[in-house]
Amino acid sequence: MTDDQTSDSETQTETEAEDAGELPARVVEEAERLTRRAREAVDEAERAGALRARDRLLAGRGFTARLRNEDNREVLVLYPAEWVTDGTVQPGRIDDLGRGVERPLSGAGEDDWASVDTHNRDLARTVERAHGEIHGANAQALADFAGNHYGKRIERLTGTELRLFLEEYYPRNVWPTDDQKAVVEESVRLVFEQTDESVSSWRRR
């Protein structure tokens, strides 16, 4: 693939994300970078400047940022601004959970996002080589979901998170073909077969 083709593909991906009301990956990465810069700043002016730059970047896309502490780690949460009032998420305004993005910033044993993304996409490519393009496309969608929305390796997704992928994120954000939709659950299992983990049950009990 040439550089021009790669650029065209990235542009198309960004356009699709924007059409779905999502943040393009490069915007998420820049928001994370600016947040980390603010956390590491020793000068208050530098910290404030990084946060202002991040907030302007997100506001231009109709999003807002906040930090959440959970399980001894700090998580950057990027949500559509219309979901939030005075810093509090209003559940009744959430139209599509797949639009939100969460990135862990700290915590023992956490992988950085770049290594998580590489790992997940390697899994997806392995599935495509072994089982064909249809399963490969579904695996890539799962890689997008796991990395961009949870900052997790695919095999660490919980049953609840897998159900969210299958029931909400996949039909609303992936634009799958009929062939892809017919085998998506099998595709998820094939991804997990490439890891040392058992797939978590996403069935409602």
Side-chain angles (χ1 to χ4, degrees):
M1 181 178 290
T2 67
D3 290 344
D4 287 344
Q5 288 173 318
T6 300
S7 178
D8 289 345
S9 176
E10 290 174 350
T11 299
Q12 180 180 358
T13 299
E14 286 194 6
T15 300
E16 290 174 349
E18 291 170 353
D19 288 345
E22 295 184 356
L23 282 175
R26 65 178 181 82
V27 176
V28 175
E29 290 168 14
E30 180 64 5
E32 180 181 356
R33 185 189 71 80
L34 289 167
T35 302
R36 290 185 182 278
R37 178 179 168 187
R39 292 169 74 244
E40 296 164 2
V42 295
D43 178 82
E44 179 59 29
E46 180 184 359
R47 176 182 178 278
L51 292 178
R52 281 196 302 270
R54 180 199 68 189
D55 292 345
R56 282 197 302 268
L57 172 71
L58 294 172
R61 304 278 180 166
F63 274 68
T64 187
R66 67 189 183 97
L67 295 179
R68 184 180 71 232
N69 289 306
E70 63 175 33
D71 300 328
N72 297 316
R73 68 175 185 173
E74 200 168 36
V75 179
L76 173 64
V77 181
L78 308 178
Y79 283 164
E82 67 264 25
W83 292 4
V84 182
T85 300
D86 296 329
T88 301
V89 176
Q90 306 298 316
R93 298 181 184 176
I94 297 176
D95 56 347
D96 178 1
L97 285 172
R99 294 175 64 200
V101 178
E102 299 187 2
R103 287 284 181 83
L105 299 174
S106 62
E110 285 297 331
D111 297 307
D112 67 88
W113 182 83
S115 67
V116 167
D117 188 60
T118 297
H119 169 81
N120 289 343
R121 296 196 185 285
D122 284 346
L123 282 178
R125 282 190 288 269
T126 299
V127 168
E128 182 172 356
R129 286 194 296 269
H131 302 284
E133 292 183 0
I134 292 174
H135 285 302
N138 284 337
Q140 287 290 350
L142 183 59
D144 287 338
F145 173 78
N148 290 334
H149 294 281
Y150 290 100
K152 284 184 174 183
R153 292 175 177 243
I154 288 173
E155 62 268 30
R156 294 180 182 170
L157 291 173
T158 66
T160 298
E161 290 161 352
L162 287 172
R163 186 165 65 243
L164 176 63
F165 169 74
L166 290 166
E167 295 180 0
E168 297 192 27
Y169 178 88
Y170 185 80
R172 294 180 179 179
N173 299 283
V174 177
W175 298 286
T177 65
D178 289 342
D179 287 341
Q180 285 175 249
K181 287 187 286 188
V183 299
V184 63
E185 292 191 8
E186 182 183 356
S187 299
V188 172
R189 293 191 180 92
L190 291 174
V191 174
F192 274 80
E193 284 182 3
Q194 304 302 320
T195 75
D196 294 328
E197 303 292 333
S198 299
V199 60
S200 299
S201 175
W202 59 78
R203 303 293 185 189
R204 293 185 185 275
R205 298 186 185 280

